[in-house]
Amino acid sequence: MTGSPADVVLDLALQGGGAHGAFTWGVLDRLLDEQHLRCSAVSGASAGAINAVVMADGLLGGGRQGAQRALRAFWKRISRAAHDRPSNNPFQALFLPDWLNPSPWSSLGPWAATMEYWSAATSAFARIYSPYQWNPLNLNPLLDLMTDHIDFEGLRSSASIRLFISATSVKTGELRIFRNHELTPRTVMASACLPHVFQAVEIDGEAYWDGGYLGNPALLPLISESEPEDLLVVQLNPPVRNEKPRSMNSITARLNEITFNASLMKELKGIALLKQALDEENLGHHFRHPLFNQVRHLRLHRIAAEETAFQLGTKSKLDIEWECLIRLHGLGAHAAEEWLKRHRDDLGRRSSLNADALA
């Protein structure tokens, strides 16, 4: 993506959310059509991390159109897994034996199967047995997809787009950010490792779980280590739901959304409030700490999924049928289109998101 003086250089922060990541695919697909926008760095967690590396790999190999083709091909491969026969898909057979779940979910692929099991984590079976017991071989089809279809060597050596992939340290409970030179299929899968579903991913002797617990996604690395002053967050978990959940499933689902929104909302509010405080200083004032200068000049933007985009519950996060993924892609592309109509002129000039707008 070669830039011109009129280009707006943009950093992206991509939230995770299972199959809802197809919404982010739609957002990215639409943004890649904007010739004046150029992406410099991406921070991602879980499905956001996967979208980030797939897009970056496509950009390096074929520019904007290469990124669009790579994203579509990846999500298409995910969907095809839904139709694998159990005999050809030992992962699916492992997670959904007939005695455990003879429901229509058994027709879904490995991602949906694991997510369905995770959604049933309150069952007696899930309370007793861990992934180390019922998945002793630690089979992970997403790891195979990453290994087979992403040029990680190219990503590690790339200077044209920076990646920040978040994971949670099991030992310390702290956030770990993997940067370009550290990227492998295992670092991406560490970011997407749900602890009720997969064994912790070990990297250099340390175990990691899903990055969404602590950085969904992490914003500070983009601010402190990347030069662009426009930062766009793609938020999958709806920040507001007006309907009060009443069923056990919907209560659990909303708690899940709140939990996986918590780190992002806290960081966004902190940055917005800090910007307000810094803006009270004289425009010519130069702060001794460079981070303060970067925050002061930062322009924050957000495309957030509305509550009507996803059904409250786990089902839409599990559904990897192509028509459902295409529907989510369309919603994301439409959300990006509407956001561009309202805020295209804000890019490179001012924030379109402030502390008062955060919910």
Side-chain angles (χ1 to χ4, degrees):
M1 299 171 73
T2 302
S4 68
D7 282 346
V8 173
V9 184
L10 188 67
D11 282 349
L12 296 172
L14 310 180
Q15 193 175 57
H20 289 179
F23 178 95
T24 300
W25 162 34
V27 171
L28 297 176
D29 205 13
R30 178 61 187 87
L31 294 178
L32 286 162
D33 283 334
E34 293 290 306
Q35 297 297 314
H36 74 291
L37 293 182
R38 184 162 59 90
C39 180
S40 175
V42 190
S43 175
S46 201
I50 294 172
N51 273 320
V53 298
V54 171
M55 182 184 73
D57 182 59
L59 284 170
L60 295 178
R64 295 173 185 271
Q65 292 182 349
Q68 291 172 320
R69 288 193 298 267
L71 285 163
R72 182 179 182 86
F74 176 81
W75 284 100
K76 187 66 174 179
R77 285 191 291 267
I78 288 291
S79 178
R80 284 174 183 159
H83 301 284
D84 280 353
R85 299 190 307 273
S87 59
N88 293 335
N89 189 344
F91 192 74
Q92 182 182 14
L94 173 67
F95 278 89
L96 285 180
D98 292 340
W99 61 266
L100 179 61
N101 191 353
S103 73
W105 289 111
S106 59
S107 66
L108 299 181
W111 196 3
T114 57
M115 289 293 289
E116 169 66 6
Y117 183 87
W118 175 60
S119 74
T122 55
S123 71
F125 183 85
R127 286 198 301 269
I128 296 172
Y129 298 104
S130 80
Y132 295 86
Q133 294 168 299
W134 44 259
N135 185 9
L137 298 180
N138 200 23
L139 300 175
N140 191 327
L142 289 180
L143 182 61
D144 293 336
L145 282 179
M146 292 284 103
T147 302
D148 294 341
H149 298 286
I150 303 295
D151 178 11
F152 280 92
E153 183 177 352
L155 292 177
R156 287 192 294 270
S157 60
S158 172
S160 61
I161 185 165
R162 306 183 70 178
L163 295 170
F164 302 94
I165 305 303
S166 60
T168 300
S169 169
V170 178
K171 179 180 179 179
T172 66
E174 295 181 350
L175 181 67
R176 168 73 186 272
I177 302 295
F178 293 101
R179 294 162 174 80
N180 286 60
H181 69 279
E182 302 169 295
L183 291 181
T184 68
R186 293 186 65 79
T187 56
V188 179
M189 296 318 300
S191 182
C193 179
L194 291 168
H196 293 98
V197 174
F198 298 115
Q199 296 180 24
V201 177
E202 291 200 8
I203 299 172
D204 297 329
E206 292 290 332
Y208 295 95
W209 282 334
D210 197 295
Y213 292 109
L214 297 179
N216 196 20
L219 305 183
L220 185 58
L222 291 174
I223 300 170
S224 61
E225 301 180 39
S226 183
E227 294 181 2
E229 296 175 350
D230 285 85
L231 194 166
L232 172 62
V233 177
V234 181
Q235 184 174 354
L236 290 181
N237 292 312
V240 173
R241 281 198 183 271
N242 292 302
E243 182 180 355
K244 182 168 63 176
R246 295 182 180 275
S247 70
M248 199 61 206
N249 184 52
S250 62
I251 291 170
T252 301
R254 184 54 181 160
L255 281 173
N256 177 267
E257 287 181 341
I258 292 170
T259 298
F260 281 96
N261 262 346
S263 63
L264 174 63
M265 299 308 297
K266 182 178 180 180
E267 199 168 7
L268 277 174
K269 289 180 179 180
I271 292 168
L273 291 171
L274 179 57
K275 276 183 60 64
Q276 287 182 351
L278 297 176
D279 285 344
E280 294 181 4
E281 294 290 338
N282 186 284
L283 287 176
H285 180 78
H286 184 80
F287 299 97
R288 284 186 292 178
H289 198 299
L291 180 62
F292 288 171
N293 293 301
Q294 289 164 285
V295 170
R296 183 177 193 176
H297 294 101
L298 181 69
R299 294 181 286 269
L300 277 174
H301 313 281
R302 179 176 67 176
I303 298 175
E306 298 180 355
E307 64 176 316
T308 55
F310 309 125
Q311 175 186 351
L312 183 55
T314 58
K315 184 176 180 179
S316 61
K317 285 188 176 182
L318 317 178
D319 200 338
I320 55 176
E321 290 289 343
W322 184 238
E323 57 268 30
C324 296
L325 296 181
I326 284 294
R327 183 186 72 83
L328 292 177
H329 169 277
L331 290 173
H334 177 73
E337 175 68 28
E338 293 301 307
W339 184 87
L340 286 166
K341 287 179 181 178
R342 295 192 302 270
H343 299 297
R344 182 182 276 106
D345 292 340
D346 291 330
L347 290 167
R349 298 179 180 178
R350 66 186 73 86
S351 291
S352 59
L353 179 68
N354 54 53
D356 294 335
L358 290 171

